[in-house]
């Protein structure tokens, strides 16, 4: 049976390979610091369950210190040139995306199979099944791409290092922000935020409560960078006690539209690294190091319009059902 622990080992081995290749890259501008960064990340994946809370905490502090010193450099992996990649893509066209489609197909299919079939339940652990199926899909897609394109045996690792160097420390931001959301929830930040809001905004009508909740979700997501991290805090602070408890809003509608309001904040912030910083780095946009790069500026009008639409929808629907 494939378990989550085996997935962590696989990812850890991948980052360990990146660390070794970086150490051997004499032309890498930050060779030692990047080797330590990817090596520590590999250590957290391989041995995190044995390090305990203090050990993992120190490891995270070390990663933040290494990433915060300055940018991690981009090495010179032994791989194809941009011109060769463009020519290869032009020859194969959109068929190149077929291996990538294997990933979601296996992720969804594996999750459903584990839930509804005996062979699926025997193959995939019932704990974090979707995550395990996603990792299995990545492995199958990699095998299919290698069998089809027949690159050198080490090409996946060199290409992986090229991509991870382009992303840099931002690759860790989503995980750290999600962990921060859990810490905020355990620390009763939602209760404190609720007290601050009620002292500054009188909850005199359903419309005021809806506006405060939706704006709060968007703004807190801008700060947190993750709507899933903002959701428990703002829903505990405003959504449940006021929109649902005081004015009788439907819980399902309030929570669903509240999440959509949070996603509007995701479009507006560099803290949402996986949506806004990583794509800018991968596309090598000229302003990718700016706080509000071209991706965020392009998304801002849509985000603001959708936030107004979500406020109107919640006010129109939540109190009718």
């Amino acid at each position: 049976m494939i378990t989550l622990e085996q997935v962590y080992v696989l990812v850890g081995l991948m980052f360990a390979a990146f660390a070794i290749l970086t150490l051997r890259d004499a032309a890498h501008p930050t060779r030692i610091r990047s080797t330590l960064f990817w090596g520590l990340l590999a250590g957290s994946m391989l041995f995190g369950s044995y390090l305990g809370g203090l050990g993992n905490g120190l490891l995270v502090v070390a990663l933040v210190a290494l990433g915060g010193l300055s940018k991690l450099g981009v090495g010179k992996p032994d791989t194809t040139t941009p011109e060769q990649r463009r020519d290869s893509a032009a020859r194969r066209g959109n068929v190149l995306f077929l291996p990538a489609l294997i990933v979601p197909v296996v992720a969804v299919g594996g999750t459903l199979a584990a839930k509804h079939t005996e062979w699926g339940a025997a193959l995939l652990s019932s704990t974090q099944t979707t995550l395990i199926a996603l990792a299995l899909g990545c492995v199958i897609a990699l095998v299919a791409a290698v069998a089809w394109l027949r690159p050198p045996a080490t090409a996946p690792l060199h290409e992986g290092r090229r991509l991870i160097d382009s992303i840099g420390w931002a690759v860790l931001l989503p995980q750290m922000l999600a962990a921060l959301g859990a810490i905020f929830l355990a620390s009763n930040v939602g209760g404190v935020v609720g007290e601050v809001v009620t002292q500054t905004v009188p909850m005199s009508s359903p419309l005021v409560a809806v506006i405060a909740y939706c704006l709060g979700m968007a703004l807190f997501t801008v700060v947190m960078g993750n709507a899933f991290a903002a959701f428990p805090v703002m829903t505990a602070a405003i959504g449940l006690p006021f929109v649902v408890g005081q004015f009788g809003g439907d819980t399902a509608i309030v929570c669903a539209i509240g999440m959509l309001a949070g996603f509007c904040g995701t479009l507006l912030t560099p803290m949402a690294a996986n949506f806004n910083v990583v794509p800018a780095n991968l596309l090598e946009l000229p302003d990718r190091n700016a706080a509000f790069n071209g991706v965020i500026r392009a998304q801002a009008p849509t985000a603001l319009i959708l936030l107004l639409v979500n406020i109107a929808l919640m006010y129109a629907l939540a109190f009718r059902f």
Side-chain angles (χ1 to χ4, degrees):
M1 175 180 288
I2 304 174
T3 65
L4 189 61
E5 188 68 25
Q6 294 165 341
V7 172
Y8 278 123
V9 170
L10 179 66
V11 176
L13 291 175
M14 180 188 71
F15 281 115
F18 292 162
I20 294 171
L21 291 174
T22 302
L23 183 63
R24 296 176 57 185
D25 184 357
H28 200 294
T30 59
R31 184 173 61 156
I32 301 302
R33 191 166 70 244
S34 294
T35 299
L36 285 173
F37 188 86
W38 301 125
L40 286 174
L41 188 53
S44 72
M45 298 290 176
L46 292 171
F47 310 112
S49 57
Y50 305 103
L51 295 178
L54 179 60
N56 280 298
L58 292 173
L59 195 149
V60 170
V61 171
L63 285 170
V64 171
L66 286 170
L69 286 176
S70 64
K71 286 178 57 181
L72 297 178
V74 178
K76 296 185 181 301
D78 183 18
T79 181
T80 53
T81 65
E83 290 75 18
Q84 289 173 318
R85 288 194 288 274
R86 276 196 293 269
D87 291 343
S88 176
R91 284 198 308 274
R92 294 181 172 86
N94 291 334
V95 183
L96 264 181
F97 291 101
L98 285 179
L101 293 177
I102 294 175
V103 179
V105 169
V106 175
V108 174
T111 303
L112 294 175
K115 188 174 182 180
H116 299 291
T117 66
E118 291 185 3
W119 64 267
L123 178 64
L124 303 177
S125 169
S126 59
T127 304
Q128 299 286 348
T129 306
T130 303
L131 193 57
I132 297 170
L134 176 64
L136 183 63
C138 293
V139 173
I140 295 175
L142 174 62
V143 172
V146 169
W148 175 34
L149 301 174
R150 298 186 181 283
T154 58
L157 291 177
H158 287 298
E159 289 293 339
R161 184 166 75 94
R162 181 176 65 82
L163 288 175
I164 206 72
D165 273 354
S166 300
I167 298 171
W169 58 262
V171 73
L172 277 182
L173 202 50
Q175 295 91 324
M176 290 193 172
L177 291 172
L180 188 61
I183 293 172
F184 277 9
L185 181 62
S187 304
N188 193 32
V189 174
V192 176
V193 172
E195 291 179 8
V196 172
V197 171
T198 53
Q199 290 173 2
T200 54
V201 180
M203 296 293 177
S204 55
S205 70
L207 179 59
V208 173
V210 166
I211 293 174
Y213 178 47
C214 291
L215 282 179
M217 275 295 300
L219 293 176
F220 209 69
T221 301
V222 168
V223 175
M224 298 291 293
N226 190 315
F228 288 100
F231 180 75
V233 175
M234 295 311 301
T235 302
I238 304 174
L240 291 179
F242 296 105
V243 183
V244 175
Q246 182 171 334
F247 296 110
D250 182 86
T251 305
I253 294 174
V254 169
C255 291
I257 299 178
M259 277 298 296
L260 294 176
F263 291 142
C264 295
T266 303
L267 299 175
L268 294 169
T269 175
M271 296 295 287
N274 49 336
F275 290 101
N276 301 329
V277 176
V278 170
N281 287 340
L282 289 178
L283 294 172
E284 298 182 351
L285 297 182
D287 61 347
R288 56 186 178 277
N289 294 323
F292 296 98
N293 57 42
V295 174
I296 298 174
R297 292 199 299 275
Q299 293 173 162
T302 302
L304 296 175
I305 293 171
L306 284 179
L307 181 58
L308 292 175
V309 171
N310 284 322
I311 291 173
L313 284 176
M314 187 180 293
Y315 182 65
L317 300 176
F319 307 103
R320 293 179 181 273
F321 299 96

